[in-house]
Amino acid sequence: MHIIPLPAFRDNYIWLIRDGRHAVVVDPGDAAPVLDYLAREGLQLAAILVTHHHADHVGGLGTLLSHAPVPVHGPFNERIDGVDHPVAEGDTVRIDALDLEFDVLDVPAHTAGHIAYVSRGTPPRALFCGDTLFSAGCGRLFEGSARQLADALARFAALPDDTLVYCTHEYTLSNLAFARAAEPHNPERDAYVERCQALRAANRPTLPSTIGQEKAINPFLRSDQAQIRDVLAGHSGVWPADAIECLAALRAWKDTF
Ligand code: ZN
Ligand code: FE
């Protein structure tokens, strides 16, 4: 599977999966970068995957569909103009033109109907997680609860460590600044900061990450760590009672960091 980042807006990536003839795009917030790439490479759009209803993920659907009326897979529990294949937990998305299959996960948190896609077939898997998980961070809780976020993150953490994580935003360096505050001592994270700084200095994406990498450095996947609980207690003056409270406190702190 050949996967290309198409930068959009200020810090979005539209992920494009291609072979020599066909392409699939994930969360096309803008049509222009997709149409430019398809024209330049002589590719035909075969399908579109959508993770949630926010404009920076669906804004390009109308224009893309007027160029190529392809199937659009998207969350069953959200109303999105252009989505004609609503999918939910347990569904499989099959794209014949590229011989691809994806399992659908329900991961409500950032939005109430947010879904994620995990590729099947030859490892490593590719996870398209929208705005649920970012490298070194996670999405804001606009419509969901900390408990739902904990469930979503647990689903991701249970995937094989070599799973490639295709997030939709280049937030990694700013997330890492927060990760440093939340978990001051983490040498593996410090090494990751250096690698990501070098990538950004060369104007290259820090993504995809991997599940194994995120388990080692992402405070939102590490809220069971005593060090993070100590820091949170010091920051808020309250000792988080359980993993959910800990995650809620981390997310609330990050919202104002
Ligand atoms: Zn969003
Ligand atoms: Fe977004």
Side-chain angles (χ1 to χ4, degrees):
M1 209 177 347
H2 197 39
I3 306 180
I4 314 282
L6 303 179
F9 309 118
R10 220 167 61 115
D11 50 34
N12 282 67
Y13 294 121
I14 300 165
W15 294 104
L16 182 143
I17 310 165
R18 62 167 293 179
D19 61 13
R21 293 174 54 198
H22 295 100
V24 173
V25 287
V26 185
D27 285 350
D30 189 6
V34 177
L35 293 172
D36 288 352
Y37 185 88
L38 294 174
R40 200 164 62 237
E41 297 286 320
L43 299 175
Q44 199 186 326
L45 192 62
I48 299 173
L49 305 181
V50 168
T51 62
H52 69 292
H53 67 82
H54 285 159
D56 62 317
H57 300 248
V58 303
L61 286 179
T63 305
L64 288 177
L65 289 173
S66 72
H67 280 79
V70 298
V72 183
H73 305 270
F76 182 85
N77 290 317
E78 295 189 355
R79 249 202 145 61
I80 301 169
D81 274 351
V83 170
D84 59 353
H85 286 61
V87 290
E89 182 75 35
D91 286 337
T92 302
V93 171
R94 176 145 186 91
I95 299 161
D96 288 323
L98 284 122
D99 196 23
L100 291 175
E101 277 189 333
F102 296 92
D103 290 319
V104 178
L105 307 183
D106 279 342
V107 285
H110 178 69
T111 64
H114 203 301
I115 58 172
Y117 301 88
V118 187
S119 69
R120 286 186 165 188
T122 326
R125 291 157 199 258
L127 167 66
F128 296 95
C129 51
D131 285 355
T132 306
L133 176 67
F134 295 124
S135 183
C138 70
R140 281 177 190 259
L141 290 174
F142 286 122
E143 298 171 13
S145 66
R147 180 170 297 278
Q148 287 177 312
L149 178 61
D151 289 346
L153 296 179
R155 301 291 301 282
F156 297 150
L159 294 168
D161 277 356
D162 66 353
T163 303
L164 294 160
V165 182
Y166 293 89
C167 325
T168 345
H169 290 273
E170 181 60 67
Y171 289 158
T172 311
L173 287 181
S174 64
N175 285 340
L176 282 165
F178 176 74
R180 244 181 187 147
E183 188 182 22
H185 180 74
N186 182 334
E188 196 163 341
R189 190 266 331 284
D190 293 341
Y192 185 62
V193 169
E194 282 190 20
R195 292 202 299 281
C196 290
Q197 281 172 338
L199 285 167
R200 294 311 293 147
N203 205 21
R204 289 170 56 196
T206 58
L207 303 169
S209 183
T210 65
I211 289 294
Q213 179 72 73
E214 293 307 310
K215 288 200 301 207
I217 62 99
N218 188 325
F220 294 92
L221 291 173
R222 299 170 60 75
S223 51
D224 59 336
Q225 299 284 313
Q227 185 188 176
I228 293 184
R229 295 200 177 196
D230 286 349
V231 169
L232 275 175
H235 178 74
S236 67
V238 183
W239 188 264
D242 57 23
I244 307 292
E245 269 189 27
C246 195
L247 195 57
L250 258 188
R251 186 57 257 179
W253 181 14
K254 174 70 167 66
D255 285 347
T256 60
F257 185 76

